Amino acid sequence: MVDLRSKIHGAGATQAVNLVVMAYHDRVASDADGVVTTHYLDARVHPGDRRAPGQTSLALVSKKEARSTTGFANSARYTPVQLASIEQAAADNVTDLTDESGRVVGRAFGVRADLLINSGEVVVNTRTLAPTELSVGEDTDGRDIRAQIVESVTAARRARDAARALVSETVGSAVPRG
């Protein structure tokens, strides 16, 4: 889960955060009549946001989930009205999410909003939604937003691991031999 503590990012660390909100078609709950009552949205800090560098996860929610392919679930519950607000704020900053075969499986929306805690999860405050200047479209290398997120997180993990190795090497060489 992304670390947005003020001691790391300064005052207002959870305000006006640039986000990527991914809405997958199959992550919904419906009532007995088939009407969608809940959307399980995967919201992440945009890799271009000032708080993203150094983060080993950009997900707002990260909880263990045995059924998930990664072992973690990154979605929180939002109402259809909240998703409509996200869609409206994103305007044309939206892109289709496709699977390996090219089939559209969802949509990603770029927005800016404050974050809040709801039932122990960090969620988008849909009352503070605004457009963001950071695109959720492909970057200049043709990578979709999910690939951009993976690259940002991978770079942060490599840097963290390199720092740990350096500390371990330094500590190991400081031990007197004899």
Side-chain angles (χ1 to χ4, degrees), residues 53-125:
Q55 294 287 337
T56 57
S57 174
L58 295 176
L60 298 187
V61 174
S62 185
K63 53 193 171 210
K64 289 190 184 269
E65 172 62 55
R67 295 180 308 194
S68 171
T69 57
T70 64
F72 289 92
N74 300 114
S75 299
R77 299 167 57 105
Y78 293 83
T79 67
V81 170
Q82 288 172 314
L83 176 57
S85 295
I86 292 167
E87 291 172 334
Q88 183 179 10
D92 61 353
N93 192 5
V94 61
T95 191
D96 287 335
L97 299 172
T98 57
D99 64 11
E100 303 81 31
S101 66
R103 185 173 56 94
V104 175
V105 294
R107 300 184 85 194
F109 304 93
V111 295
R112 188 178 72 239
D114 296 344
L115 304 176
L116 50 86
I117 306 293
N118 182 30
S119 301
E121 296 177 339
V122 178
V123 295
V124 178
N125 182 346

Side-chain angles (χ1 to χ4, degrees), residues 10-93:
T14 60
Q15 297 173 335
V17 180
N18 294 293
L19 302 164
V20 178
V21 180
M22 294 176 279
Y24 290 92
H25 300 321
D26 64 349
R27 294 184 189 165
V28 298
S30 303
D31 65 13
D33 296 324
V35 176
V36 173
T37 58
T38 305
H39 293 271
Y40 294 93
L41 303 181
D42 182 349
R44 302 191 182 218
V45 173
H46 193 289
D49 186 87
R50 70 172 178 85
R51 291 153 278 228
Q55 294 287 337
T56 57
S57 174
L58 295 176
L60 298 187
V61 174
S62 185
K63 53 193 171 210
K64 289 190 184 269
E65 172 62 55
R67 295 180 308 194
S68 171
T69 57
T70 64
F72 289 92
N74 300 114
S75 299
R77 299 167 57 105
Y78 293 83
T79 67
V81 170
Q82 288 172 314
L83 176 57
S85 295
I86 292 167
E87 291 172 334
Q88 183 179 10
D92 61 353
N93 192 5

